Amino acid sequence: MKRRTPSPQQPAADPERARRLRMIVATVLGTGLLFIITIATIGLLLGPPDDEPTPMVGSNVAPDPGDTAERPTTRSTPFGTVAQTGDADRFAESTALALFAWDTRDGYQPTDYVQSMLDQASDPANEETDGLATDLAAYLPNRAAWIELQQYETRQHLEIDQIGVPDTWAEVQRQAREDTLLPGTIAYTVDGTRHRTGVWEGKEVATDHPVAFTMFIACEPTYEQCRLLRLTVLDKPLR
């Protein structure tokens, strides 16, 4: 998969109807060949969330429970920044990086990171927003795991190895029924490395883990600035 700039999409006949419809992209690969690509709803593609990530071990000193309820006042907001742009490539790259950028030392909770991503990257009026919130939450540790990670001062970031439009996307567009996809919808598949660092018995430790996922975004003509629609289950991208 080579990085490339997506071609502009043609407006759908009825944009309002397009907002009410959902899409699915299901790819079945066997012996290296593509057998079926169908369109229905994104939700079916996303499936159930993966198991919660295993916390990275670290120091044995637990944080004061009261600390987690406080919001920092002297440190800048640690959330990743999503570019407010109509450039699909730039938007996709910044969204991928922001999705994996968190730091348990700053006193925020996973819900704060989800809300930050929704505020920066989504369209509140889109009917997929509730589904996107669920997608985002699945990319973060749950509350119990987060509390465990706080003990080890764990923070995370993503290093992108490759990002681009998956080869199957052209076939998805070809087979999509009229008004199924918002005009300007495009998919980006990301392959990268998730880096976590923390503290174990007073020493800095680090772990690396390969990740892959696909983002569905919409740009012009539906949106002047690109918006994130949905995410696939982590490590189950389109190819």
Side-chain angles (χ1 to χ4, degrees):
M1 178 184 67
K2 296 182 178 179
R3 181 188 176 99
R4 60 181 185 275
T5 302
S7 301
Q9 305 296 309
Q10 296 299 319
D14 186 355
E16 290 301 320
R17 181 184 175 192
R19 290 176 180 276
R20 299 192 298 269
L21 297 176
R22 293 182 173 82
M23 71 160 185
I24 187 174
V25 182
T27 58
V28 181
L29 296 177
T31 63
L33 298 178
L34 175 68
F35 289 95
I36 301 173
I37 301 178
T38 59
I39 303 292
T41 65
I42 294 179
L44 292 179
L45 168 65
L46 302 176
D50 289 343
D51 294 337
E52 293 297 340
T54 302
M56 185 182 74
V57 297
S59 69
N60 297 316
V61 180
D64 185 333
D67 292 343
T68 61
E70 298 294 331
R71 292 294 181 265
T73 57
T74 59
R75 300 187 64 178
S76 61
T77 302
F79 307 135
T81 301
V82 177
Q84 303 302 301
T85 177
D87 184 322
D89 285 352
R90 184 183 172 201
F91 178 83
E93 182 174 351
S94 67
T95 299
L97 294 174
L99 181 59
F100 284 81
W102 51 255
D103 190 334
T104 63
R105 301 171 302 174
D106 289 289
Y108 291 92
Q109 297 298 314
T111 52
D112 297 315
Y113 287 89
V114 170
Q115 189 59 55
S116 176
M117 288 295 297
L118 291 174
D119 291 344
Q120 294 187 81
S122 72
D123 171 18
N126 193 293
E127 292 189 359
E128 292 287 357
T129 302
D130 288 344
L132 176 59
T134 300
D135 300 343
L136 292 168
Y139 277 62
L140 287 157
N142 63 17
R143 181 170 175 77
W146 189 265
I147 292 173
E148 183 75 6
L149 289 166
Q150 283 180 313
Q151 300 180 43
Y152 314 134
E153 303 179 17
T154 308
R155 53 267 191 206
Q156 175 180 281
H157 72 276
L158 178 70
E159 179 182 0
I160 296 176
D161 300 319
Q162 181 173 266
I163 181 171
V165 180
D167 294 337
T168 55
W169 186 244
E171 183 67 9
V172 168
Q173 292 176 296
R174 189 184 69 80
Q175 294 195 21
R177 297 189 304 273
E178 185 178 6
D179 296 349
T180 301
L181 300 177
L182 285 174
T185 297
I186 194 73
Y188 278 83
T189 291
V190 179
D191 291 278
T193 303
R194 182 195 73 189
H195 298 279
R196 284 186 181 180
T197 56
V199 178
W200 169 250
E201 295 183 345
K203 296 181 179 181
E204 194 85 2
V205 294
T207 62
D208 302 325
H209 183 75
V211 295
F213 57 97
T214 298
M215 302 175 290
F216 299 93
I217 70 176
C219 299
E220 291 183 332
T222 298
Y223 299 113
E224 182 178 351
Q225 295 182 339
C226 299
R227 294 292 143 199
L228 178 63
L229 301 178
R230 296 297 298 268
L231 298 164
T232 61
V233 171
L234 187 61
D235 294 329
K236 294 184 180 179
L238 297 184
R239 293 298 185 187

